[in-house]
Amino acid sequence: MASYSSRVRADIARWLQAGLIDAATADSLSRDVEANERKSLSFGSILAMMAAVLFGAAILIFVAANWDATPRLARVAALFAVILGGYVGGAVLKARDHAAIGEALWIVAAAAFGGSIALIGQMYHLSGDEASALVTWGAGTALAAVALRSNPLTVASVGIADAWLFLKGFDYYSRSEFPHAFLIMAIVLFAVSFWTRSQAARHLIILSVLFYLVLLVTNHDTLQVAIPLVVVSALLFAASVFAPDPVDRVVQLGGRLPLHALLGFLTGLAMIQFELADESTYNSGFALASVIALAGIVAAIVLAGRESRGLRWFAYLGFAFELAIIYVVTLQSMLDTAGFFLAAAVLLGILAIVIIRVEKRMKGPDAKGATA
């Protein structure tokens, strides 16, 4: 799929050929697109990151395999040499315009730091568990991200925080504490992401907070978590649609806040629907939640679907999910196996018709503008 800048360049060439703009305007537009084009990772950069991860893993495995045969002082010195060499070497290479390799070395150093925590803890019999080690690893990686102003290290810090949340969240059933501290981690890392200019980290943090809320419903009343999530998501969606520029200047998500808000909105309503779908508690609340969900999906497509294909397709998936859950809750006792397949065929046909009509409606204004 062509990138946005490629499509704009093609449009500029078409406008110039059609006589809609002159050569000077076309040149100015092309230079503006080039100046504001988001620099994405090249294939070489991706390979460098993969090589860095594999190299870090190889170092740690080699050290672990020869752990007993290596003197204790040499072990510690080797680990710190890898960390120091990775960070310093990466900084030097990045200063010499080898950003991809420099960032890759920083990832190696961060991985070595995490491995060092485990190996040194084992060597000196330090007390603690995996969760504590992850907190230390994440804090060290976040500090390195701040010091080096590194986008990949910021993303790595968020990933480590997510690993801690996953470990503590699913360990909740055997312990008495819930990982509420993740919210503090998320706030700190969200602030760090602005300093390191890591939009990817902000997207990941928002998704992680939604995962935290899903875990939270296992510890709290579902409606106490889900209803505020639905309300806040709806407000964020409205703000991002009716005041997109000021809102995006604050959150800096590349105009994708409506997509996150829709995800939060549907996640909250799904929590409510699952809570009210039980046969013993089924009442008009489930129907009301379903109506709100369907209305929200339609509103999202109408208000923001034209500007975001990703939002449209996510709305279609949400619509299909709503049809499925409504069927499971309200119709399962009325249909046998053959009836289920018939109902599924009808529902999929309706879904296809709706999608086709919406897509045509979205393309309609553009086609009229092109022929005008």
Side-chain angles (χ1 to χ4, degrees):
M1 182 181 294
S3 65
Y4 169 75
S5 58
S6 299
R7 295 196 302 270
V8 172
R9 290 190 182 96
D11 287 336
I12 292 172
R14 178 171 55 82
W15 296 335
L16 179 62
Q17 185 177 7
L20 299 176
I21 57 176
D22 55 25
T25 303
D27 183 63
S28 298
L29 290 173
S30 298
R31 282 188 278 105
D32 182 73
V33 170
E34 183 177 357
N36 292 279
E37 183 178 3
R38 186 178 64 181
K39 302 299 182 183
S40 59
L41 285 174
S42 65
F43 184 65
S45 300
I46 295 173
L47 289 179
M49 291 295 175
M50 294 175 64
V53 173
L54 293 174
F55 184 69
I59 291 175
L60 295 177
I61 293 173
F62 176 79
V63 172
N66 297 275
W67 196 245
D68 294 332
T70 307
R72 179 173 295 185
L73 185 60
R75 301 173 193 173
V76 177
L79 293 173
F80 277 95
V82 173
I83 297 171
L84 183 63
Y87 282 128
V88 175
V92 171
L93 287 172
K94 191 166 185 179
R96 295 183 178 180
D97 202 24
H98 297 288
I101 301 177
E103 296 276 8
L105 284 179
W106 289 345
I107 295 296
V108 170
F113 176 66
S116 300
I117 294 172
L119 294 174
I120 292 176
Q122 179 187 19
M123 183 170 60
Y124 290 100
H125 305 288
L126 301 178
S127 61
D129 55 8
E130 295 86 351
S132 301
L134 285 172
V135 170
T136 305
W137 186 14
T141 305
L143 288 175
V146 172
L148 299 170
R149 209 167 188 179
S150 169
N151 179 354
L153 286 178
T154 308
V155 175
S157 302
V158 178
I160 296 170
D162 289 341
W164 178 84
L165 173 64
F166 184 87
L167 183 64
K168 295 287 287 185
F170 285 97
D171 194 42
Y172 162 72
Y173 296 101
S174 61
R175 300 197 176 188
S176 59
E177 57 183 272
F178 188 82
H180 294 294
F182 177 78
L183 287 180
I184 300 175
M185 297 181 185
I187 293 171
V188 172
L189 291 173
F190 201 84
V192 168
S193 70
F194 289 103
W195 168 251
T196 59
R197 298 185 294 270
S198 180
Q199 186 181 114
R202 288 191 286 278
H203 287 295
L204 184 57
I205 289 169
I206 293 175
L207 296 176
S208 303
V209 170
L210 288 178
F211 177 64
Y212 165 83
L213 293 175
V214 171
L215 290 177
L216 188 61
V217 299
T218 64
N219 189 43
H220 289 74
D221 180 78
T222 300
L223 298 182
Q224 292 180 356
V225 177
I227 293 177
L229 175 59
V230 171
V231 173
V232 171
S233 298
L235 292 176
L236 288 175
F237 183 88
S240 62
V241 169
F242 295 109
D245 293 335
V247 170
D248 198 60
R249 278 197 297 269
V250 174
V251 297
Q252 298 180 24
L253 290 171
R256 294 182 177 86
L257 182 58
L259 181 58
H260 287 296
L262 179 60
L263 176 59
F265 179 80
L266 294 180
T267 300
L269 284 171
M271 295 178 186
I272 296 173
Q273 288 174 303
F274 282 121
E275 177 71 14
L276 300 178
D278 185 74
E279 186 176 352
S280 61
T281 60
Y282 174 71
N283 51 39
S284 59
F286 176 85
L288 178 60
S290 301
V291 170
I292 294 174
L294 293 173
I297 291 170
V298 173
I301 294 175
V302 172
L303 294 174
R306 183 173 299 171
E307 289 76 18
S308 174
R309 177 179 296 179
L311 185 141
R312 291 204 304 272
W313 280 106
F314 183 76
Y316 300 152
L317 290 175
F319 179 68
F321 171 80
E322 287 300 322
L323 292 181
I325 193 173
I326 290 171
Y327 161 74
V328 169
V329 172
T330 62
L331 298 181
Q332 60 180 347
S333 61
M334 299 171 59
L335 299 176
D336 56 12
T337 304
F340 168 76
F341 286 118
L342 176 61
V346 172
L347 292 177
L348 289 176
I350 294 173
L351 180 61
I353 293 173
V354 170
I355 291 176
I356 292 172
R357 288 184 176 273
V358 170
E359 291 288 350
K360 286 183 178 180
R361 188 170 182 178
M362 294 297 173
K363 295 178 180 178
D366 297 334
K368 291 180 181 178
T371 57

